[in-house]
């Protein structure tokens, strides 16, 4: 609530320019203008106005502005972009009261960065690393398909890239948009590995995208010949296609492929939903699994379930392709709300026990055409039970 007197005008600048007639009028009429040195140098104020460089102690700065306002002065505070978007607007409202300030936003740095990259951002997750640990930004990149990060000297773009890789992020296109609105503004594009290995100006916005726009169409149920495997130990293409449909993959989140074997299910999930963070859990055949998953973003977890699951983040989706009912129970105990598990079994007994827990089951019986002299015959594959639930 306003406590009387003229409100403090917080004016966002982009490229040294204020946006809107009200912002320019407030600046021209101000008795006191406070801002960073670069902002003060960019604007024109009245000859009678006092200009004060914004001190490091932000609370002291706001108190000084409040005192000037109480004395009847018309006060302006300069900021970058949209002061209400990860900016000084929040702090000013908390300390001075929202009724005692007027915010005049310029386009935010995030909006400008997405514009420079040519990407819409109404579905993006935005994280600030200003004065914060880079961990939440890295987790956001690993868990969401479209993320923008506001960088800072302690969380420069390359640090964001390194932390995102360490958090298990899959493949991402990366953009670094630097010094927006300045004469030396620049746009860099590469992948997450190149971002982590680079060196960039901390005054940047990083954008990470899962999957290249305009890429190939979706495909799943790839033939077994597309994966290295041992003695046919792989989820058959037709069964895999049904299991992937029952998983109802979200755009982002965590997926466990338990008893991964060749990794075929997890690999196809990574292609269908690049925003997923995927863990392939397998105690044996690790060389085969690592060969197949190379470059897919799938993280290999060596060890036997259920014990090895303790170190993993809770899943939104899980595929159980190996192990007993104790493994399924361990997975269900960790499943996030509205999550889903799909499990496959050759044994009717295990399948019925799994269906009791999950709620739904089908049997997949496939016969494949094979040569028979000058014609073809159908050769039956072993039937497989697919169980799924609980969402």
């Amino acid at each position: 609530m306003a406590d009387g007197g003229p409100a403090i005008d917080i004016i966002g600048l982009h490229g040294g320019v204020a946006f809107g007639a009200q912002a320019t009028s407030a600046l021209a009429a101000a008795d006191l203008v406070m801002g960073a040195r670069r902002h003060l140098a960019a604007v024109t104020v009245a000859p009678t106005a006092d200009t004060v460089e914004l001190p490091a102690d932000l609370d002291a700065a706001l108190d000084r502005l409040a005192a000037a306002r109480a004395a009847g002065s018309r006060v302006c505070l300069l900021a970058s972009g949209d002061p209400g978007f990860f900016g000084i607007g929040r702090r000013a409202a908390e300390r001075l009261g929202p009724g005692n300030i007027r915010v005049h936003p310029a386009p935010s740095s995030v909006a400008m960065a997405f514009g420079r990259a040519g990407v819409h951002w109404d579905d993006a997750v935005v994280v600030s690393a200003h004065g914060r640990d880079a961990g939440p930004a890295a987790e956001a990149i690993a868990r969401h398909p479209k993320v923008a990060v506001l960088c800072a000297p302690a969380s420069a773009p390359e640090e964001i890239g390194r932390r995102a890789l360490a958090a298990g992020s899959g493949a991402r296109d990366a953009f670094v948009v630097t010094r927006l609105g300045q004469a030396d503004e620049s746009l860099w594009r590469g992948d997450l590995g190149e971002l982590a290995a680079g060196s960039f100006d901390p005054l940047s916005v990083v954008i990470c995208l899962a999957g290249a726009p305009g890429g190939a169409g979706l495909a799943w149920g790839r033939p077994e010949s597309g994966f290295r495997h041992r003695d046919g130990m792989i989820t058959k293409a037709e069964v895999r296609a049904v299991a992937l449909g029952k998983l109802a993959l979200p755009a982002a989140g965590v997926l466990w492929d338990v008893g991964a074997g060749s990794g075929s299910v997890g690999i196809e999930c990574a292609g269908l939903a690049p925003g997923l963070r995927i863990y392939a859990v397998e105690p044996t055949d690790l060389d085969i699994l690592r060969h197949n998953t190379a470059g897919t973003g799938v993280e290999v977890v060596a060890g036997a379930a259920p014990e090895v699951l303790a170190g993993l983040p809770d899943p939104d989706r899980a595929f159980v392709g190996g192990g007993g009912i104790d493994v399924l129970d361990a997975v269900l105990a960790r499943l996030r709300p509205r999550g889903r598990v799909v499990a496959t079994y050759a044994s009717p007994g295990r399948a019925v026990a799994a269906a009791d827990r999950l709620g739904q089951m089908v049997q997949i019986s496939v016969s494949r055409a094979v040569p028979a002299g000058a014609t073809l015959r159908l050769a039956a594959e072993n039937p497989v039970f697919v169980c799924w639930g609980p969402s």
Side-chain angles (χ1 to χ4, degrees), residues 75-121:
V75 179
C76 283
L77 175 60
L78 305 179
S80 296
D82 182 351
F85 186 72
F86 291 106
I88 199 172
R90 179 195 295 265
R91 188 82 162 269
E94 290 171 350
R95 194 162 188 88
L96 304 176
N100 299 319
I101 62 173
R102 280 192 301 259
V103 179
H104 307 274
S108 71
S109 57
V110 173
M112 299 300 294
F114 274 104
R116 299 293 188 263
V119 177
H120 69 89
W121 68 290

Side-chain angles (χ1 to χ4, degrees), residues 21 31-32 40 42 87 113 117 150 159 164 178 220 250 256 268 290-291 303 343 357 361 369 371:
D31 301 307
L32 172 63
L40 292 172
L150 296 160
E159 175 66 11
T178 298
W220 62 94
W256 292 354
E268 293 218 272
R290 290 189 175 112
H291 175 273
R357 290 160 168 79
M361 178 175 73

Side-chain angles (χ1 to χ4, degrees), residues 15 25 72 87 150 180 212 221 228 235 256 294 316 363 366:
S25 296
L150 296 160
L180 278 156
R228 184 180 292 183
T235 303
W256 292 354
D316 301 279
Q363 184 196 66
V366 174

Side-chain angles (χ1 to χ4, degrees), residues 42-54:
V43 300
T44 300
V45 301
T48 56
D50 292 327
T51 57
V52 179
E53 187 172 340
L54 184 68

